[in-house]
Amino acid sequence: MGGNSIMSMKVKRAVSKITALIIALAMVFATGRIKMTAYADGPDPTTTLQTAFTAFDSNEKVFVQFSLTGEGNTLIASEKVELDRTKNVKNALAQDVDSGTWTTIYTDLAEKVSYYQDDGQWYKYPTEEEDLVGLGKTLKDNGVETSIVTGAVYTYAGEEKKSVVNSHTGVATEFDCNVFKADIPVVITDDEEDEDADDEDDEDEDDPDEEKETEIITVYYYIAKDSGTFVHAETREGLIVNADIAYPAKDDPAVELVIPEEAVENAILEEGYETPQSATGSISYKVVYKGKKAYLSVVKGASKKKLTVPKSVKILGKAYPVQEIGASAFASNKKLQTLVIKADINKIGKKAFYNSKKLKTITINSKKVKSVGKNSFDTYSKKLIVKLSGNKKYKAKVKKLIDKSRAKKAVKKTKLTVK
């Protein structure tokens, strides 16, 4: 496996999400949660933007050329997206900023699976919803909800000429545009748990764990005066985003986007891919390879009173076995009281259950545990019962591993019983 290349691909995919955000910020107009301010000396933002965004959302073929620039005009990432809604195909050409090379990520929008090639091997991964925002179908048809809240303000910002690049041909076209400024409040969620925070009451089950704050993102949208189409979006402070939008002719034979057959036939699940908790029952998993065989390691459990780790998890229609509890997978979980591990795990990572002060019972059905990481059972709860399967010899072996992993402070704090 090309570990460094795969890590680079993850960075490139993050660019897709930023591209999607720009599109989402545009498309959110259709949700009706925007406040408009019109000026007498310019076009009405309400009608102009509604027409432009509707045209973008309904066009059969769309190109987006995107760049992200940081301090000192340093290029952080760039991407070219080619979309054919008639075939439900998206090609995203992501650039490696260091080497300058481009890698194509092919996405089947109907199946929500993406493919790319690295060092001769085809890889695949499930395409997350945020990568589909505003692409393939309308937001409503995709079932995607944005994080944008009530109170955004759109204003007319004047006229400007804008040179827009067609990502497919590389040809730039200059447009006379009306410019609209959007001050959009976006909800920023911080779901990191504070280990030093006081325990929550058991009755607060419905209270969100994460802290939320609102940040204003200012985006400028360029609408071509002659056609009324949305052709460019940009930010001008902080991280600088530039997105050019082009609309090829419907009958242009050069825009036949297809996913290579060899990709569909030969792609294997990407090593290091992490499933979102929402798709896998409140627990996220990471794909690990041992030779040519893939298995899953638990990455993070949601903050709930009871969680169950299944024997296997389906990804893209295929079941993969769960064989590890990863480091800190259930650490500092504020609500977890009961954990049932049905999977045939052979390894428990360091600090797997560390500082989960409400955890009372851990049931481990596996008879294959061979490794227990340091501090993994240091929950600092008053009592902890670990229920094991297998014969007396096996249970004694695992108990020895658990005892060896514990810190002296944790031994004094928690009465641990292994059954």
Side-chain angles (χ1 to χ4, degrees), residues 47 81 131-132 183 188 193 210 224 255 296 328 364 383 385:
T47 55
V81 174
D131 293 323
L132 302 172
D183 292 319
I188 307 298
E193 297 177 348
E210 60 274 355
V255 195
L296 302 179
S328 302
I364 304 175
K383 295 181 181 180
I385 298 175

Side-chain angles (χ1 to χ4, degrees), residues 264-276:
V264 179
E265 293 174 358
N266 302 324
I268 61 174
L269 197 61
E270 176 189 66
E271 183 173 17
Y273 169 74
E274 292 186 11
T275 66

